[in-house]
Amino acid sequence: MNRFTYLAFLLVIAPVVHADLRVFTCEPEWGALAVEIGGDLVETYSATHALQDPHYIQARPSLIARLRRADLLICSGAELEIGWLPQLLSKANNPEVRPGNSGYFEASSFVPRLDVPDSVDRAKGDMHPQGNPHVQANPHNIYIIAQALIGKMAQLDPANADRYRQGGADFLERWQDAIAVWEDRAGVLRGNRVVVHHKSWVYLQDWLGLIEVATLEPVPGVPPTATHLGELLRLLGDEGDGADYIIRAPYQSEKASIWLSERTGIPALMLPLTVGGSESATNLFSLFEDILDRLLEAGS
Ligand SMILES: [Zn+2]
């Protein structure tokens, strides 16, 4: 083979080498995880951003078009997206990414779910009948989910399977080291009492040993009411037992937590619930660093 025909041969086979994976995620943390594993092999698009409530969004045409082209759909699941994902899936008409098919990945199905109710009563609000879906708030869950996701990505893009496995192994090692550092820093938080806006933090509480003493929502999914806040003031105010912080996610109105904070002196904190939820939470590592920074600063 002379040099010219060899070059022509290369030109023909070269484009096949790069096969990327189009990943559509319901929440930003899963896109961030896919990128940690796959790097530039992965193109991600998230249906929600960190300043949106993932329980409630509109199935916009731009989302439908993106989902139609996706190879892999990653969602927290456990019915977190029940209000919009089924409609989005039916309009996108992409059978590969439907639940039960190979392109669908339900992150929360890989970890032990907390708050699974004994009985379901929809009248009591957004009950999360399959257990609490906000699993990303414990980094040990991210570790378990990453292990499963590496296999899924390798399965869907076999040409690059080794690169996903290598990128994934590298991530898992760095993640484990980071968890050890975080747990060292967070030891002093154990036993702290928290008031939460919505039950978005049960996995964080479980990880750090925080004790939830009340929720600003009277029942899950129902915004705080004057009556309920009055009761919390009695429970936590001058005569009450207090708490160490009041926590909300960036998409929740600050009104109720500030109202209660001003009357009780308990600090009100915004914690990023996912990547992009604060200026410094730009990836999964800085997400947890920022959560700890904020909790430790309020406690000091
Ligand atoms: Zn929820």
Side-chain angles (χ1 to χ4, degrees):
M1 196 187 291
N2 68 36
R3 196 159 167 247
F4 179 76
T5 47
Y6 178 66
L7 281 176
F9 175 72
L10 272 186
L11 285 175
V12 173
I13 62 154
V16 186
V17 177
H18 184 83
D20 62 2
L21 197 60
R22 278 168 301 203
V23 179
F24 184 103
T25 69
C26 290
E27 295 84 21
E29 61 270 25
W30 309 127
L33 183 57
V35 169
E36 292 284 355
I37 295 166
D40 58 12
L41 294 172
V42 176
E43 178 194 297
T44 65
Y45 184 84
S46 179
T48 62
H49 58 70
L51 308 184
Q52 279 178 315
D53 185 341
H55 302 86
Y56 312 104
I57 61 159
Q58 296 293 321
R60 305 189 305 278
S62 58
L63 296 183
I64 297 162
R66 287 281 184 167
L67 186 56
R68 186 168 293 149
R69 293 195 302 268
D71 303 308
L72 172 61
L73 168 63
I74 312 174
C75 297
S76 293
E79 297 198 1
L80 172 59
E81 306 90 359
I82 188 115
W84 54 273
L85 186 59
Q87 197 193 356
L88 194 58
L89 276 166
S90 99
K91 288 188 176 161
N93 196 23
N94 176 353
E96 292 308 311
V97 300
R98 282 178 189 273
N101 291 347
S102 65
Y104 178 71
F105 184 92
E106 183 182 20
S108 70
S109 70
F110 295 93
V111 299
R113 286 189 195 138
L114 301 176
D115 286 353
V116 181
D118 298 332
S119 65
V120 175
D121 180 358
R122 288 278 180 197
K124 289 186 180 159
D126 168 21
M127 280 284 283
H128 293 321
Q130 297 186 6
N132 192 295
H134 307 288
V135 295
Q136 80 282 8
N138 182 336
H140 291 284
N141 286 350
I142 302 261
Y143 188 95
I144 298 167
I145 292 162
Q147 288 177 310
L149 186 56
I150 294 164
K152 175 53 73 182
M153 291 167 78
Q155 176 202 341
L156 291 178
D157 183 11
N160 290 307
D162 286 346
R163 287 181 62 189
Y164 296 119
R165 290 200 189 97
Q166 202 158 37
D170 176 63
F171 167 74
L172 290 175
E173 200 179 316
R174 288 182 297 123
W175 194 247
Q176 208 158 30
D177 292 346
I179 289 177
V181 173
W182 295 330
E183 291 183 347
D184 247 18
R185 290 185 68 202
V188 295
L189 299 171
R190 193 155 286 277
N192 281 2
R193 298 154 308 160
V194 295
V195 178
V196 298
H197 186 112
H198 172 73
K199 284 181 162 290
S200 313
W201 309 99
V202 293
Y203 297 90
L204 182 78
Q205 291 158 210
D206 187 50
W207 177 44
L208 297 179
L210 305 176
I211 299 160
E212 183 187 298
V213 294
T215 60
L216 298 182
E217 292 179 342
V219 290
V222 174
T225 59
T227 317
H228 182 61
L229 287 176
E231 280 164 19
L232 292 185
L233 182 57
R234 275 193 296 282
L235 181 75
L236 305 164
D238 284 347
E239 310 293 317
D241 279 342
D244 298 292
Y245 351 86
I246 304 166
I247 298 174
R248 68 174 189 280
Y251 57 82
Q252 285 152 350
S253 163
E254 62 180 17
K255 266 205 231 154
S257 49
I258 289 187
W259 185 92
L260 193 61
S261 174
E262 281 172 350
R263 283 158 184 81
T264 56
I266 302 165
L269 295 185
M270 187 286 283
L271 295 186
L273 186 55
T274 182
V275 174
S278 70
E279 213 171 304
S280 35
T282 54
N283 61 38
L284 288 168
F285 290 89
S286 50
L287 168 66
F288 283 95
E289 270 148 36
D290 194 39
I291 288 174
L292 288 185
D293 285 347
R294 286 165 187 259
L295 286 171
L296 288 165
E297 196 188 340
S300 63

